[in-house]
Each structure stands twice: as structure tokens, then as C-alpha cells.
Coordinates of all heavy atoms in Angstrom, one line a residue:
A166 N 0.8 -1.2 0.0 CA 0.0 0.0 0.0 C 0.9 1.2 0.0 O 2.0 1.2 0.0 CB -0.9 0.0 1.3
N167 N 0.2 2.4 0.0 CA 0.9 3.7 0.1 C 1.8 3.8 1.2 O 1.3 3.6 2.3 CB -0.1 4.9 0.1 CG 0.6 6.2 -0.1 OD1 1.7 6.5 0.4 ND2 -0.1 7.1 -0.8
S168 N 3.1 4.0 1.0 CA 4.1 3.9 2.2 C 3.9 5.0 3.2 O 4.5 5.0 4.3 CB 5.4 4.0 1.6 OG 5.8 5.1 0.9
F169 N 3.1 6.1 2.7 CA 2.9 7.3 3.7 C 1.4 7.1 4.3 O 1.1 8.1 5.0 CB 3.1 8.5 2.9 CG 4.5 8.8 2.5 CD1 4.8 8.7 1.1 CD2 5.5 8.9 3.4 CE1 6.1 8.9 0.7 CE2 6.8 9.2 3.0 CZ 7.1 9.2 1.6
A170 N 0.8 6.2 4.1 CA -0.6 5.9 4.7 C -0.4 5.7 6.2 O 0.6 5.2 6.7 CB -1.2 4.7 4.1
D171 N -1.4 6.3 6.9 CA -1.4 6.5 8.3 C -2.1 5.1 8.9 O -2.9 4.5 8.2 CB -1.9 7.6 8.9 CG -1.4 8.1 10.3 OD1 -0.8 7.2 11.0 OD2 -1.6 9.2 10.7
A172 N -2.1 5.0 10.2 CA -2.9 4.0 10.8 C -4.5 4.3 10.7 O -4.8 5.5 10.6 CB -2.5 3.7 12.3
I173 N -5.2 3.3 10.9 CA -6.7 3.6 10.9 C -7.2 2.7 12.3 O -6.8 1.7 12.6 CB -7.4 2.9 9.7 CG1 -7.1 3.7 8.5 CG2 -9.0 3.0 9.9 CD1 -7.7 3.2 7.1
F174 N -8.1 3.5 12.9 CA -8.6 3.0 14.2 C -10.2 2.9 14.1 O -10.9 3.9 13.7 CB -8.2 3.8 15.3 CG -6.8 3.9 15.4 CD1 -6.2 5.0 14.9 CD2 -6.0 2.8 16.1 CE1 -4.6 5.1 15.0 CE2 -4.6 3.0 16.2 CZ -4.0 4.1 15.7
E175 N -10.7 1.8 14.4 CA -12.2 1.5 14.3 C -12.8 0.9 15.5 O -12.1 0.1 16.3 CB -12.6 0.6 13.2 CG -12.2 1.1 11.7 CD -12.5 0.2 10.7 OE1 -13.0 -0.8 10.8 OE2 -12.2 0.5 9.4
L176 N -13.9 1.1 15.8 CA -14.8 0.5 16.8 C -15.9 -0.5 16.2 O -16.5 0.0 15.3 CB -15.5 1.5 17.7 CG -14.6 2.5 18.6 CD1 -15.4 3.5 19.3 CD2 -13.7 1.6 19.5
K177 N -15.9 -1.6 16.7 CA -16.7 -2.6 16.0 C -17.7 -3.3 17.0 O -17.4 -3.6 18.2 CB -16.0 -3.7 15.2 CG -15.0 -3.1 14.2 CD -14.3 -4.1 13.4 CE -15.2 -4.9 12.5 NZ -15.6 -4.1 11.5
D178 N -18.9 -3.6 16.6 CA -19.8 -4.4 17.4 C -20.0 -5.6 16.7 O -20.8 -5.6 15.7 CB -21.1 -3.6 17.7 CG -22.1 -4.4 18.4 OD1 -21.7 -5.4 18.9 OD2 -23.2 -3.9 18.6
G179 N -19.3 -6.7 17.0 CA -19.3 -7.8 16.1 C -18.6 -7.6 14.8 O -17.5 -7.2 14.8
D180 N -19.3 -7.9 13.8 CA -18.8 -7.6 12.4 C -19.1 -6.2 11.8 O -18.7 -5.8 10.8 CB -19.3 -8.7 11.3 CG -18.5 -10.0 11.6 OD1 -17.5 -10.1 12.3 OD2 -19.1 -11.0 11.3
R181 N -19.9 -5.5 12.7 CA -20.3 -4.2 12.2 C -19.6 -3.1 12.7 O -19.2 -2.9 13.9 CB -21.9 -3.9 12.8 CG -22.5 -2.7 12.2 CD -24.0 -2.7 12.7 NE -24.1 -2.7 14.2 CZ -24.2 -1.6 14.8 NH1 -24.2 -0.3 14.3 NH2 -24.4 -1.7 16.1
T182 N -19.0 -2.2 11.8 CA -18.2 -1.0 12.1 C -19.2 0.0 12.6 O -20.0 0.5 11.9 CB -17.3 -0.5 11.0 OG1 -16.5 -1.6 10.6 CG2 -16.5 0.6 11.4
I183 N -18.9 0.5 13.9 CA -19.8 1.5 14.5 C -19.1 2.9 14.4 O -19.8 3.9 14.7 CB -20.4 1.2 15.8 CG1 -19.2 0.9 16.7 CG2 -21.1 -0.1 15.7 CD1 -19.6 0.7 18.2
A184 N -17.7 3.0 14.3 CA -17.1 4.3 14.4 C -15.7 4.0 13.7 O -15.1 3.1 13.9 CB -16.9 4.7 15.7
V185 N -15.3 5.0 12.8 CA -14.0 5.1 12.3 C -13.5 6.5 12.9 O -14.0 7.5 12.5 CB -13.9 5.1 10.8 CG1 -12.5 5.2 10.3 CG2 -14.5 3.8 10.3
L186 N -12.3 6.4 13.8 CA -11.9 7.6 14.3 C -11.2 8.5 13.3 O -10.6 8.1 12.4 CB -10.8 7.2 15.5 CG -11.4 6.3 16.7 CD1 -10.2 6.2 17.7 CD2 -12.6 6.9 17.2
E187 N -11.4 9.8 13.5 CA -10.9 10.9 12.6 C -9.3 10.7 12.7 O -8.8 10.6 13.7 CB -11.3 12.2 13.0 CG -10.8 13.3 12.1 CD -11.2 14.6 12.6 OE1 -11.9 14.8 13.6 OE2 -10.7 15.7 12.0
G188 N -8.7 10.8 11.5 CA -7.3 10.8 11.4 C -6.7 12.2 11.5 O -7.4 13.2 11.5
I189 N -5.3 12.2 11.6 CA -4.6 13.6 11.8 C -4.6 14.3 10.6 O -4.7 15.5 10.5 CB -3.2 13.4 12.4 CG1 -3.4 12.8 13.9 CG2 -2.4 14.6 12.4 CD1 -3.8 13.8 14.8
S190 N -4.2 13.6 9.4 CA -3.9 14.3 8.2 C -5.1 14.1 7.2 O -5.7 13.1 7.3 CB -2.6 13.8 7.6 OG -2.5 12.4 7.6
R191 N -5.1 14.9 6.2 CA -6.1 14.8 5.1 C -6.0 13.5 4.3 O -4.7 13.0 4.0 CB -6.0 16.0 4.1 CG -6.9 15.8 2.9 CD -6.8 17.0 2.1 NE -7.3 18.3 2.5 CZ -7.4 19.4 1.9 NH1 -7.1 19.4 0.7 NH2 -8.0 20.4 2.5
D192 N -7.1 12.7 4.1 CA -7.1 11.5 3.4 C -6.3 10.5 4.0 O -5.8 9.4 3.5 CB -6.6 11.7 1.9 CG -7.4 12.6 1.1 OD1 -8.7 12.7 1.4 OD2 -6.9 13.3 0.3
N193 N -5.8 10.7 5.4 CA -5.0 9.7 6.1 C -3.7 9.4 5.4 O -3.1 8.3 5.6 CB -5.7 8.3 6.3 CG -5.5 7.8 7.6 OD1 -5.5 8.4 8.6 ND2 -5.2 6.5 7.7
I194 N -3.1 10.4 4.7 CA -1.8 10.2 4.1 C -0.8 11.2 4.8 O -1.1 12.5 4.8 CB -1.8 10.6 2.6 CG1 -2.8 9.5 2.0 CG2 -0.4 10.4 2.1 CD1 -2.5 8.0 2.2
R195 N 0.2 10.8 5.4 CA 1.3 11.6 6.0 C 2.1 12.3 4.9 O 2.3 11.7 3.8 CB 2.2 10.8 7.1 CG 1.4 9.9 7.9 CD 0.7 10.7 9.0 NE 1.6 11.5 9.9 CZ 1.2 11.8 11.1 NH1 0.0 11.5 11.6 NH2 2.0 12.5 11.8
E196 N 2.8 13.5 5.3 CA 3.8 14.1 4.4 C 5.2 13.8 4.8 O 5.4 14.4 5.9 CB 3.3 15.5 4.3 CG 2.1 15.8 3.7 CD 1.9 17.3 3.4 OE1 2.8 18.2 3.8 OE2 0.7 17.7 3.0
G197 N 5.8 13.2 4.1 CA 7.3 13.0 4.5 C 7.6 12.1 5.7 O 8.7 12.3 6.3
E198 N 6.7 11.3 6.1 CA 6.9 10.4 7.3 C 6.0 9.2 7.2 O 4.9 9.2 6.6 CB 6.7 11.2 8.6 CG 5.2 11.7 8.6 CD 5.1 12.7 9.6 OE1 6.1 13.3 10.1 OE2 3.9 13.1 10.0
R199 N 6.7 8.1 7.6 CA 6.1 6.7 7.6 C 5.6 6.3 9.0 O 6.4 6.5 10.0 CB 6.9 5.7 7.0 CG 7.2 6.0 5.5 CD 7.9 4.8 4.8 NE 8.2 5.1 3.5 CZ 9.4 5.5 2.9 NH1 10.4 5.6 3.8 NH2 9.5 5.7 1.6
L200 N 4.4 5.7 9.1 CA 4.0 5.0 10.4 C 5.1 3.9 10.7 O 5.5 3.1 9.9 CB 2.6 4.4 10.2 CG 2.2 3.7 11.4 CD1 1.8 4.6 12.5 CD2 0.9 2.8 11.0
Q201 N 5.5 4.0 12.0 CA 6.5 3.0 12.5 C 5.7 2.0 13.4 O 5.8 0.8 13.2 CB 7.6 3.7 13.3 CG 8.7 4.5 12.5 CD 9.5 3.5 11.7 OE1 9.3 3.1 10.5 NE2 10.5 2.8 12.4
K202 N 4.9 2.6 14.3 CA 4.2 1.6 15.2 C 3.2 2.4 16.1 O 3.1 3.6 16.2 CB 5.3 1.2 16.4 CG 4.7 0.2 17.3 CD 5.9 -0.2 18.3 CE 5.4 -1.1 19.4 NZ 6.5 -1.4 20.3
V203 N 2.1 1.6 16.3 CA 1.1 2.1 17.2 C 1.6 1.7 18.7 O 1.6 0.6 19.1 CB -0.3 1.6 16.9 CG1 -1.3 2.1 18.1 CG2 -0.8 2.0 15.5
E204 N 2.2 2.7 19.3 CA 2.7 2.4 20.7 C 1.8 2.1 21.8 O 2.1 1.3 22.7 CB 3.6 3.5 21.0 CG 4.8 3.8 20.0 CD 5.7 4.9 20.4 OE1 5.3 5.6 21.4 OE2 6.7 5.1 19.6
A205 N 0.6 2.8 21.9 CA -0.2 2.6 23.0 C -1.6 3.2 22.7 O -1.9 4.1 21.9 CB 0.3 3.4 24.2
V206 N -2.5 2.5 23.3 CA -4.0 2.9 23.2 C -4.6 2.8 24.6 O -4.4 1.7 25.3 CB -4.8 1.9 22.3 CG1 -6.3 2.3 22.3 CG2 -4.1 2.0 20.9
S207 N -5.3 3.8 25.1 CA -5.9 3.7 26.4 C -7.3 4.4 26.3 O -7.6 5.2 25.5 CB -5.0 4.5 27.4 OG -5.6 4.4 28.7
F208 N -8.1 3.9 27.3 CA -9.6 4.5 27.3 C -9.9 5.1 28.6 O -10.8 4.6 29.4 CB -10.5 3.3 27.0 CG -10.2 2.5 25.8 CD1 -9.4 1.3 25.9 CD2 -10.5 3.0 24.5 CE1 -9.2 0.6 24.8 CE2 -10.1 2.2 23.4 CZ -9.5 1.2 23.5
P209 N -9.3 6.2 29.0 CA -9.6 6.8 30.3 C -10.7 7.7 30.2 O -11.3 8.1 29.1 CB -8.3 7.5 30.7 CG -7.9 8.0 29.3 CD -8.1 6.8 28.2
D210 N -11.3 8.2 31.3 CA -12.2 9.3 31.4 C -11.5 10.5 31.9 O -11.6 10.9 33.0 CB -13.5 9.0 32.2 CG -14.4 10.2 32.3 OD1 -14.3 11.1 31.4 OD2 -15.3 10.1 33.2
Y211 N -10.6 11.1 31.0 CA -9.7 12.1 31.5 C -10.3 13.4 32.0 O -9.7 14.1 32.9 CB -8.6 12.4 30.4 CG -9.0 13.3 29.3 CD1 -9.1 14.7 29.5 CD2 -9.6 12.8 28.2 CE1 -9.6 15.6 28.4 CE2 -9.9 13.7 27.0 CZ -9.9 14.9 27.3 OH -10.4 15.8 26.2
N212 N -11.5 13.7 31.4 CA -12.2 15.0 32.0 C -13.3 14.7 33.0 O -14.0 15.7 33.2 CB -12.7 15.7 30.8 CG -13.6 14.8 29.9 OD1 -13.8 13.7 30.3 ND2 -14.1 15.4 28.8

């Protein structure tokens, strides 16, 4: 795939996708940088 494509994050209920989280860059393509790793994910209630 496109070497500058970013990660995608989804929430699913069974096989049904209920949400696709908004990405940082337009069309989910980075400029001059490649995704290395998704380092961490957490679900706090920070506020």
C-alpha cells in the first residue's frame, strides 16, 4: 500500500463497524513520514 498511509482505528460491534476515528492528516496520508508503530492505546475518562 501507500508507504505514507497512516494507521486507521475503528470500533466494532461484532462484524459491524460503528465508528472510524478521525485521522490527523487529510485522506489519512502523512507528508514525508512513515508510520512506525502504534505504541499505546488507552480508554480513560480524563475529563
Side-chain angles (χ1 to χ4, degrees):
N167 189 321
S168 61
F169 296 111
D171 206 349
I173 293 177
F174 303 98
E175 298 181 359
L176 294 174
K177 301 180 73 67
D178 181 5
D180 290 335
R181 183 172 64 92
T182 300
I183 59 177
V185 178
L186 299 187
E187 180 184 357
I189 293 290
S190 51
R191 174 179 289 185
D192 299 326
N193 214 46
I194 302 298
R195 310 288 297 199
E196 290 188 7
E198 55 196 20
R199 296 190 179 100
L200 174 69
Q201 287 291 98
K202 183 181 180 182
V203 177
E204 297 181 353
V206 178
S207 183
F208 309 101
D210 178 12
Y211 75 82
N212 54 4

